[in-house]
Amino acid sequence: MPKRPALLKLSRRKILIGATASVATLPQPSLGRSLFHQPLTPPRAIASGSVFEDQRGDGWRQPGNRGIAGVLVSNGRDVVATDADGRWCLPIEGGDHAFVVKPPHWSVTPTRSGASSYSYLHHPQGSRQNLRFEGTAPTGALPHTIDFALRHAPENKRFDVALVADTQPSNLTELAYLERTLIEPLAQENVAFAINHGDVVGDDLSLFDRYRELIGTTGIPWHHCPGNHDMNLDSPDGDHAFETWKRVFGPPHYAFQSGDATFIVLNTVDYAGYPRLHSGMPTYRGWIGPRQLAFVENLLRHVPAHHLVVVSMHVPLASYEDPDSVSDRVADRFQLLELLSGRQYSVSFAGHLHTTEHHYLGQEFGFARKPPHHHHVLTAACGSWWSGPPDRNGVPVADSRDGSPKGFHILSIDGNQYETRFVAAAREQMRVLITSPDAIGSGAAGCGRILSSPIAEASVSNARIVVDVFDGGPNTRVMFSLDGNSRSEHELLRCHIPDPYIVDAFSDPAVARPSWLEACPSSHIWVGMLPAGLSRGTYQFTVRAIGEFGREHVSQMSVTIT
């Protein structure tokens, strides 16, 4: 067996740095060819089978089980509908999955881990045998028939979905943190299923099985997008980077339907292979690629016009902090948005950045329809990589770089309409601070020194109120008033600065954090001056935020001026 490369000793930060080094001078690749690797072209075979009604619930076809007509089946590129007898036929290559697109009002037989038997992997020779983490065993020749079992499962047009991103445990201790932070709070939510938007683990793929056992305790189906920390990092190229993922989770991209919504799960991580980890060249980039784009295009031809199309991915379509970083945004996003602009109802979600962001992508991004496409970068479940001081349960506070606490989101769907809400581990929706007059917009942080009550009268005239609305975005409005007097309500201005609280917290030498972890400019900070003419005394400030979907949050703080 060849000696394994030393790349697995690299930190996740070094891998991130390698991914962004020197990329500004790289030419933009064409849609038809990957800059990172040439796609494999093994000989094609023809796969066929049926989709049938599973009346006993055991997944086995019995005599008399009827085929189901009109169900979509795909090889990851082409999409066909079953005929009147439930039969389907598609070309398939080595390494491809054949999978059924679960239709509304049907379910696939779930396993205890929350996964479902909705796909078949055709991998005649199996995975490369010199990878650190086990891939897939040889599947041999194609079966005579590949059959998918569905059961009747009436669905409502109104339902909730848990949106999770960057769970990212690197060891068993952090898996236990995940149980307290995500699994236990999720039990309080009535969700139909959950979607994890990648970085399911933190490079140690041996944790996949323990992670699946953990999410299996929720009793709901789970769907997963692969992330850059879910790859076989010792893979020589991108074609083999998700071999372990395929064995554990199934196809890296697929689709399913629920109610009046079609959900598309994409893999937006394109890996260059381990030789680049030592070269200073990019190691991965955000990239959908022609095969997945063809899948989306072919799928949408079959999706009813009234459906809400929900797209999930790991690397986002846009980045607030560094919009030009090829590892932090999808290079061929224009092609995807062009496809989605043919739909009246669409939304997309991503993770990866460990920040919370709302983007509205219009014609300049390839989305021709009005209003612009809403792309939501989700809060990291692990926050700042499970770092920081422990809370009362012994779990690291791990506030994110942009000021938001760790947590997850709930997507509420009603027909083809939707809205989201943030479920914060800290049980709060905003942070309100008073900062000194000496530094808004100045210095490296540009956020000023935090003032604690009581405040000296001499400092009041130029003091600022700074509000971090954790799930805020461009359409969020933030107002504050004095002593609850709505007539004195002032509107705050959205500013591109770090959260002052995070700047202070990350500079505390007494708290162990990764040396590379820094506060970043936040997309959800609002700033305003305190009212003029405040004299000595105690005042009650009321801050009111109206979020992206019109939901109101209120916070109050008392300030004494001496």
Side-chain angles (χ1 to χ4, degrees):
M1 179 179 294
K3 183 179 179 181
R4 294 194 183 102
L7 65 95
L8 296 170
K9 297 181 180 179
L10 293 176
S11 71
R12 67 188 67 176
R13 182 59 176 173
K14 290 179 180 178
I15 293 171
L16 275 171
I17 293 172
T20 55
S22 305
V23 295
T25 59
L26 290 174
Q28 287 298 311
S30 65
L31 178 61
R33 179 177 177 181
S34 170
L35 172 69
F36 282 39
H37 63 271
Q38 291 292 329
L40 295 178
T41 55
R44 286 186 140 197
I46 300 298
S48 62
S50 67
V51 180
F52 67 92
E53 183 178 1
D54 182 11
Q55 295 177 335
R56 298 199 331 180
D58 57 8
W60 294 96
R61 186 159 193 175
Q62 306 295 327
N65 286 154
R66 70 178 182 90
I68 309 172
V71 177
L72 302 181
V73 181
S74 178
N75 57 10
R77 178 186 178 91
D78 309 296
V79 180
V80 297
T82 56
D83 64 15
D85 297 320
R87 302 292 301 177
W88 61 271
C89 181
L90 282 166
I92 195 167
E93 300 175 357
D96 287 352
H97 283 86
F99 56 86
V100 64
V101 178
K102 186 203 82 64
H105 310 299
W106 292 88
S107 68
V108 287
T109 305
T111 64
R112 174 170 171 75
S113 66
S116 303
S117 53
Y118 64 97
S119 67
Y120 173 82
L121 174 62
H122 175 57
H123 215 326
Q125 306 302 320
S127 300
R128 294 175 61 94
Q129 298 305 305
N130 60 341
L131 300 178
R132 178 185 179 192
F133 300 106
E134 180 186 358
T136 57
T139 60
L142 275 173
H144 173 68
T145 182
I146 301 172
D147 300 325
F148 298 111
L150 297 178
R151 299 195 72 192
H152 269 297
E155 295 173 339
N156 295 320
K157 293 186 177 182
R158 299 180 64 178
F159 60 96
D160 286 353
V161 181
L163 302 178
V164 181
D166 298 278
T167 41
Q168 212 161 337
S170 297
N171 49 54
L172 294 178
T173 298
E174 292 179 356
L175 262 177
Y177 294 158
L178 181 63
E179 182 175 12
R180 302 300 300 270
T181 300
L182 174 65
I183 303 303
E184 292 178 5
L186 196 55
Q188 309 302 316
E189 303 288 343
N190 182 24
V191 298
F193 53 88
I195 306 175
N196 189 327
H197 290 73
D199 282 359
V200 172
V201 298
D203 298 328
D204 185 353
L205 308 191
S206 68
L207 296 173
F208 276 162
D209 290 331
R210 294 292 295 271
Y211 165 84
R212 285 183 57 176
E213 291 175 3
L214 182 61
I215 64 173
T217 63
T218 64
I220 59 173
W222 282 72
H223 301 271
H224 295 84
C225 307
N228 53 291
H229 288 290
D230 300 321
M231 302 186 294
N232 294 85
L233 291 176
D234 49 352
S235 171
D237 52 50
D239 289 314
H240 301 90
F242 293 100
E243 293 299 294
T244 304
W245 180 275
K246 290 179 179 180
R247 175 178 60 82
V248 177
F249 294 106
H253 72 275
Y254 62 99
F256 62 97
Q257 297 176 319
S258 182
D260 285 341
T262 295
F263 293 82
I264 303 174
V265 175
L266 295 179
N267 177 11
T268 55
V269 181
D270 187 28
Y271 185 48
Y274 68 75
R276 294 222 181 180
L277 285 173
H278 303 287
S279 68
M281 299 176 69
T283 57
Y284 70 91
R285 61 169 176 172
W287 179 250
I288 302 169
R291 182 176 180 82
Q292 291 188 86
L293 288 169
F295 167 66
V296 173
E297 182 176 14
N298 293 330
L299 174 68
L300 292 180
R301 292 194 181 105
H302 296 272
V303 173
H306 70 277
H307 265 216
L308 172 67
V309 177
V310 183
V311 185
S312 291
M313 64 198 73
H314 181 62
V315 178
L317 301 180
S319 166
Y320 183 77
E321 180 186 5
D322 190 358
D324 296 323
S325 169
V326 296
S327 63
D328 290 337
R329 59 104 174 101
V330 171
D332 49 355
R333 55 190 171 175
F334 299 91
Q335 288 86 349
L336 175 65
L337 289 167
E338 185 178 9
L339 293 173
L340 293 178
S341 64
R343 311 295 304 188
Q344 186 171 357
Y345 310 102
S346 68
V347 64
S348 57
F349 301 96
H352 184 56
L353 300 179
H354 295 248
T355 58
T356 310
E357 303 176 11
H358 290 271
H359 298 274
Y360 297 92
L361 309 178
Q363 292 186 1
E364 69 277 20
F365 291 93
F367 190 81
R369 181 185 292 275
K370 293 183 178 180
H373 176 80
H374 180 202
H375 183 64
H376 189 356
V377 179
L378 303 167
T379 304
C382 73
S384 56
W385 294 269
W386 301 114
S387 68
D391 63 15
R392 63 182 181 181
N393 295 316
V395 178
V397 171
D399 288 325
S400 293
R401 302 177 302 125
D402 67 340
S404 54
K406 60 184 183 293
F408 59 94
H409 298 256
I410 297 294
L411 168 66
S412 297
I413 291 179
D414 185 356
N416 53 31
Q417 303 300 304
Y418 75 94
E419 62 179 45
T420 65
R421 60 181 172 88
F422 178 44
V423 182
R427 306 297 181 186
E428 298 175 343
Q429 294 295 323
M430 70 175 90
R431 178 182 297 117
V432 181
L433 303 169
I434 305 294
T435 65
S436 66
D438 53 34
I440 290 290
S442 66
C447 56
R449 178 174 53 88
I450 298 174
L451 299 178
S452 299
S453 185
I455 299 174
E457 187 176 10
S459 300
V460 171
S461 60
N462 291 317
R464 273 83 164 173
I465 183 166
V466 178
V467 180
D468 187 342
V469 182
F470 302 139
D471 194 25
N475 294 331
T476 298
R477 295 179 59 209
V478 181
M479 290 74 65
F480 83 99
S481 59
L482 184 64
D483 291 337
N485 184 357
S486 60
R487 290 176 296 178
S488 67
E489 196 169 58
H490 301 271
E491 189 152 355
L492 303 183
L493 179 67
R494 185 169 175 244
C495 292
H496 183 75
I497 61 171
D499 184 322
Y501 173 83
I502 297 299
V503 173
D504 279 8
F506 283 12
S507 64
D508 185 354
V511 178
R513 285 187 178 87
S515 59
W516 46 263
L517 187 59
E518 297 177 349
C520 71
S522 175
S523 66
H524 39 81
I525 298 289
W526 282 260
V527 177
M529 298 289 293
L530 290 185
L534 293 181
S535 57
R536 299 175 187 178
T538 299
Y539 300 88
Q540 183 85 359
F541 291 102
T542 299
V543 175
R544 187 167 64 95
I546 302 174
E548 297 297 284
F549 297 96
R551 189 177 293 109
E552 183 173 285
H553 304 292
V554 177
S555 180
Q556 294 181 324
M557 69 181 304
S558 294
V559 175
T560 297
I561 299 173
T562 59

